[in-house]
Amino acid sequence: SAAAYAASQVPSPCCPFMHCCIAAAEMTLPRRIVDCHHHFLAPDEPFHATLGALGAPAYTAEQYAADSAGLPIEKTVHIEALADDGAGEAAYVDALASRGACKVAAIVANCDLSAPDAAAALDKIQAASARVRGIRYILDYDGPFDGECPTHVACKAHATDYLRDASAAAAFERGFALLAARGLSFDLQLCPAQMEAAAAMISRHPGVPVVIDHMGKPWRLRADGGAADAAELAAWRKGMAALAALPQVSCKLSMLGVAVPGWPAGGAKEELLRGLVLETISLFGARRCMFNSNWHINGAVSNSDAGDVPSDEALTMASLFERFHGWVAHLGEAEREALFAGSAERFYRI
């Protein structure tokens, strides 16, 4: 099984030689990086009014350039950041790229695909920038938002499950179906409980490339071998298998502090997370997986959104990619090239 393969690839913690190899690998970087998921935040702009209301600070192209200095990042993909106006955000990012302020080669814009005017909204978004390659509409909903369950704050206002509620899902699928003819992909951010419903919907639209955001967001694993972790991982594995069976579906490896809070401190938490990452790569194949930074504001926020884990505070973009690279140091060069650059280039056509 994929799980068994992944487990076989994780060096035993009882082997000091392998630990030395991992430590050495962590200090190296990939040959090249396409950072296929990051955000600029402009809370004073109308298209980011929601960010402003949430009290989010600005995060600029200049700040990203400083945070990524020295890394072999050749291109990036800007992902919508709770945009109230997908076309407005796309035009803003496009202008930054056109004047050389960033390396954004592709833009993923926000669009409510369930809306009656979704077709017109998509036309407006594509007119705003030739760099637009895809759409994201955050879908992770598993009950009313309370900050503790997997439901994302973006779903707080509508409190709707667009994948499992029959009426809402039908409206969303009508909009999703519009993407193929427009040559657009979809960034799928959801929680494990929604995965089987998502797979069923996606299977009906083979012409829409889909990438799962943030490894499918298994939720706050404790790495204690307990029943709660076992149940969460069982649901995640079942859903990920259903999605991986669809050849048009890929997976991003990022924001992993949602899966295992505190993993940057190392120990059992990092070992668990590394095993899950390798399991995902085994399931999808390296050509359908892509590491990325999810960078915005700082390392703690980029790792988990909440940004409330003390061990994450020292995480830099360089140290993040070093850790990622160390986890897959045993893989071949072609696989590592795909994971850090090639898979993203193929998926986003850049």
Side-chain angles (χ1 to χ4, degrees):
S1 70
Y5 168 84
S8 73
Q9 302 302 301
V10 181
S12 167
C14 298
C15 176
F17 173 72
M18 289 307 296
H19 267 302
C20 290
C21 290
I22 293 171
E26 286 175 351
M27 299 307 294
T28 66
L29 287 166
R31 184 175 62 85
R32 67 189 192 101
I33 297 170
V34 174
D35 190 6
C36 60
H37 196 116
H38 71 91
H39 309 287
F40 299 142
L41 312 183
D44 293 331
E45 297 286 347
F47 57 78
H48 276 171
T50 292
L51 289 178
L54 290 171
Y59 186 73
T60 66
E62 291 76 16
Q63 287 172 293
Y64 179 90
D67 288 339
S68 61
L71 292 175
I73 295 176
E74 296 183 354
K75 312 168 194 174
T76 76
V77 180
H78 184 272
I79 308 298
E80 67 86 22
L82 307 190
D84 301 273
D85 173 7
E89 184 192 56
Y92 169 83
V93 176
D94 187 81
L96 292 173
S98 293
R99 71 168 189 256
C102 61
K103 297 179 180 179
V104 171
I107 293 170
V108 173
N110 185 32
C111 183
D112 179 359
L113 296 178
S114 73
D117 64 347
L122 289 171
D123 290 343
K124 186 178 179 183
I125 286 167
Q126 289 191 286
S129 171
R131 292 181 172 89
V132 171
R133 294 292 187 274
I135 296 297
R136 181 172 80 159
Y137 189 64
I138 290 176
L139 298 173
D140 28 346
Y141 184 85
D142 199 18
F145 174 80
D146 60 6
E148 296 298 325
C149 74
T151 297
H152 194 278
V153 67
C155 300
K156 181 179 180 179
H158 59 67
T160 302
D161 189 334
Y162 285 104
L163 293 169
R164 292 180 293 176
D165 177 270
S167 177
F172 180 82
E173 186 169 357
R174 285 192 292 272
F176 185 87
L178 300 171
L179 301 180
R182 288 167 168 77
L184 294 171
S185 62
F186 187 74
D187 264 62
L188 176 65
Q189 183 169 311
L190 79 175
C191 57
Q194 298 172 296
M195 286 179 175
E196 290 184 274
M201 188 270 290
I202 293 165
S203 71
R204 295 190 286 270
H205 304 277
V208 181
V210 172
V211 62
I212 303 163
D213 284 355
H214 310 317
M215 207 172 73
K217 298 180 73 175
W219 190 249
R220 297 182 180 175
L221 300 168
R222 299 169 177 82
D224 60 1
D229 278 11
E232 180 68 15
L233 285 172
W236 174 78
R237 288 183 170 120
K238 186 176 182 182
M240 290 288 273
L243 288 164
L246 303 173
Q248 71 268 38
V249 178
S250 298
C251 188
K252 289 181 178 178
L253 306 169
S254 54
M255 204 169 81
L256 299 175
V258 168
V260 185
W263 72 262
K269 290 187 173 184
E270 184 176 7
E271 286 296 314
L272 170 63
L273 181 58
R274 179 175 182 265
L276 296 177
V277 166
L278 294 177
E279 183 177 336
T280 301
I281 294 169
S282 175
L283 185 63
F284 285 84
R287 287 176 60 87
R288 289 198 288 154
C289 289
M290 50 197 91
F291 282 109
N292 61 85
S293 72
N294 187 46
W295 209 262
H296 57 297
I297 305 177
N298 57 44
V301 174
S302 303
N303 188 44
S304 70
D305 264 356
D308 58 355
V309 180
S311 64
D312 294 359
E313 292 175 2
L315 199 64
T316 66
M317 201 185 305
S319 66
L320 181 67
F321 278 111
E322 286 172 351
R323 299 286 272 275
F324 289 166
H325 195 234
W327 294 347
V328 296
H330 64 287
L331 298 180
E333 174 59 30
E335 290 176 290
R336 285 182 280 124
E337 159 69 15
L339 290 166
F340 289 99
S343 297
E345 288 175 322
R346 283 188 295 274
F347 185 85
Y348 287 112
R349 294 88 68 204
I350 53 175

